[in-house]
Amino acid sequence: MTPRQRRLHDLHRIATHSNLLIQETPMSAFVSWKIRALIEDNAFNHSPDTRPGVMLNGGGCQGKTETICEIIASFEDEWLALYAQNPTAMAGTLDQHAPVAYVRTPVKATPISTCQRILDFFGEPYKGMRQEDLIRTVKNAIYDHGTKALVLDDITRLKLHREADQDVLDLIRELMSLPVTLILVGVGIPRSGLLRDGRKDPRTGQWLFPPVRDRGKSRNDDAPGQTDLRFDLLDLDRFSYDTPSGIAAWAAHLVGIEQQLRLLHGYDGMLSDGAMPEYLFRRTGGIIGLVKKLVQAGCRYAIETGQEHITTDLLDLLALSPDDLPDLDPDAGEIPDIPTAPVAPTRKKSKPRNTVFDDKGVPATGSAG
C-alpha cells in the first residue's frame, strides 16, 4: 500500500477498536433478566396501580449505561413488533411512538432542568414554560408517545444536600403515578440518600438523614421511606478474580475482545492466555470500561509503531487517567479508582510508520496520508 492507503486502512481499524461490541457478562445477564421482566410486567398492566421501579447501582465504568441501553433497545424492538403504532393514540391522529426514553440527570439538577432534559428527548417545545407547565407537559409526552420505560442515568448526581435535589426526587416519585417503569442508574446508590427520606430541620435549615449503617446485611435497615418501598435495587458488579468461575468469566470476556481486534500480528490468546489475563485484571481492577480504554490505547500504539500485536511490555508504556473519562462527574463518584500503572523501563519509542520525519527526527510539514 501507499502511505495514504495504509493510513486509510489504519483508520478503518481504529474505528473498529473504538466501537467494540457489547458483551454479556454473568453480572449483566442477571440484571438484564430482572429489568426486562419488570418492564414487561408493568407494560402489560392496565390497572391504575403505581408501577414499581428499579435502581441499577454499580461503580464507575462498569457498563451500567451500556447494559441498560441494551435492555431497553431490545424491549423497544419487541414492543414495536407487537404495536407498530402507539395503541393509546387518539383516534385520527398519529403520535410518534417512543416505547422507551433515556435521559441523563443534569449536574446540579432542578425539577425544571430535569423536565427539560426529558422533553429534549421527545423533541417537545418548552420555551417560556413555568415549572408546573413543564411537569404537565412531561406527563402528557409520556402518555402521548406511549412510553413504557423511562431511564434516568447518573441519578446519584442528586446528593440531596440541596433543596433542589429533594425537589427532583419528589418529581421522580410523582412520575411513578404514570403507566411507565422508572429506571434510575447511578454510582453508590445505597449511600447516596436516594433510599432514605431526607427532611429539613425547621430550626437549622439543614437536611437530616438517618445514619448509614452496614448495607451488607440489608439496605433497608434505615427505616425505609417512600422511595425504598417503590424501587428495587440491583447491583452490577465488576469482574472478580478470586474464584475459578470468576477467572473463567474474565478470560471469556477477554476472548470476546481479542476476536474483534484488527491487528496484523494478532493471534488467539493474545489477551486471554498466559500471564495476560492476570496482568489486565491488575491494571483495570476488573472494570469493563477501563479494560476497553487500555486495549484501545494498546491497539493504537501497536498500529502506529508497526508492532501489530499487544504485549504486557507494550501496555506498560501506557497509563490510564481520569482525563481519559471526560464525560463523568467526579463529584458524583462516577470516576472509578484507576490502578497505578507499572513503572516501565525507559525506552525509545518507535516512530509512527505513517509520519514522515526529517533527518533530525522532527515530523515534516506534510505527513504521509
Side-chain angles (χ1 to χ4, degrees), residues 36 68-80 100:
R36 278 293 299 273
I68 200 64
C69 286
E70 194 74 4
I71 294 169
I72 61 176
S74 176
F75 168 78
E76 181 177 55
D77 288 342
E78 294 180 357
W79 192 257
L80 289 176
V100 300

Side-chain angles (χ1 to χ4, degrees), residues 22-304:
I22 299 172
Q23 298 185 73
E24 187 176 75
T25 67
M27 302 80 73
S28 67
F30 174 75
V31 167
S32 298
W33 177 79
K34 291 282 290 185
I35 295 180
R36 278 293 299 273
L38 179 65
I39 295 175
E40 291 169 0
D41 290 343
N42 287 345
F44 287 112
N45 181 6
H46 298 293
S47 70
D49 300 338
T50 298
R51 271 59 169 177
V54 63
M55 293 183 178
L56 180 57
N57 175 64
C61 293
Q62 287 181 200
K64 300 182 301 299
T65 298
E66 288 184 344
T67 298
I68 200 64
C69 286
E70 194 74 4
I71 294 169
I72 61 176
S74 176
F75 168 78
E76 181 177 55
D77 288 342
E78 294 180 357
W79 192 257
L80 289 176
L82 287 176
Y83 306 102
Q85 298 176 9
N86 183 3
T88 61
M90 184 181 298
T93 68
L94 180 62
D95 290 328
Q96 179 186 355
H97 195 185
V100 300
Y102 173 87
V103 176
R104 296 189 68 183
T105 305
V107 177
K108 295 184 178 179
T110 64
I112 290 178
S113 64
T114 303
C115 287
Q116 290 173 341
R117 283 286 180 95
I118 297 173
L119 295 177
D120 282 337
F121 177 87
F122 291 115
E124 297 278 356
Y126 54 77
K127 185 177 180 180
M129 287 188 183
R130 299 172 301 172
Q131 178 172 314
E132 55 267 32
D133 297 327
L134 287 168
I135 295 175
R136 183 174 60 254
T137 304
V138 165
K139 291 181 176 180
N140 290 338
I142 291 175
Y143 273 115
D144 293 344
H145 293 277
T147 303
K148 299 301 179 184
L150 170 61
V151 176
L152 295 179
D153 204 350
D154 302 323
I155 194 63
T156 41
R157 291 178 175 177
L158 303 180
K159 289 303 181 184
L160 304 184
H161 62 281
R162 300 181 308 131
E163 186 172 358
D165 292 341
Q166 186 71 41
D167 291 341
V168 174
L169 186 57
D170 290 339
L171 168 65
I172 291 171
R173 291 170 180 156
E174 186 172 350
L175 295 179
M176 293 192 73
S177 64
L178 303 175
V180 64
T181 300
L182 282 184
I183 305 170
L184 311 183
V185 184
V187 176
I189 288 177
R191 290 175 173 81
S192 67
L194 291 172
L195 291 176
R196 298 170 293 141
D197 277 336
R199 291 293 177 260
K200 183 181 286 187
D201 187 330
R203 295 172 301 172
T204 65
Q206 293 180 325
W207 289 98
L208 303 178
F209 302 98
V212 177
R213 299 200 295 269
D214 181 13
R215 294 284 187 171
K217 297 178 182 179
S218 171
R219 67 175 183 276
N220 292 323
D221 288 342
D222 302 323
Q226 197 175 18
T227 313
D228 289 280
L229 300 175
R230 293 184 175 185
F231 285 91
D232 192 12
L233 177 65
L234 299 176
D235 287 311
L236 184 63
D237 295 324
R238 65 178 70 184
F239 280 98
S240 64
Y241 208 78
D242 52 4
T243 64
S245 60
I247 295 173
W250 175 248
H253 187 76
L254 296 179
V255 169
I257 293 178
E258 70 185 21
Q259 289 177 345
Q260 301 178 56
L261 303 185
R262 299 295 177 256
L263 298 177
L264 300 182
H265 298 158
Y267 56 90
D268 292 340
M270 182 174 62
L271 301 181
S272 57
D273 283 347
M276 185 62 85
E278 184 174 352
Y279 172 89
L280 288 173
F281 190 88
R282 188 168 62 251
R283 287 291 308 273
T284 64
I287 299 175
I288 293 176
L290 297 184
V291 177
K292 278 188 171 183
K293 290 289 184 181
L294 185 60
V295 171
Q296 287 167 353
C299 287
R300 173 177 282 276
Y301 192 83
I303 290 173
E304 292 183 347

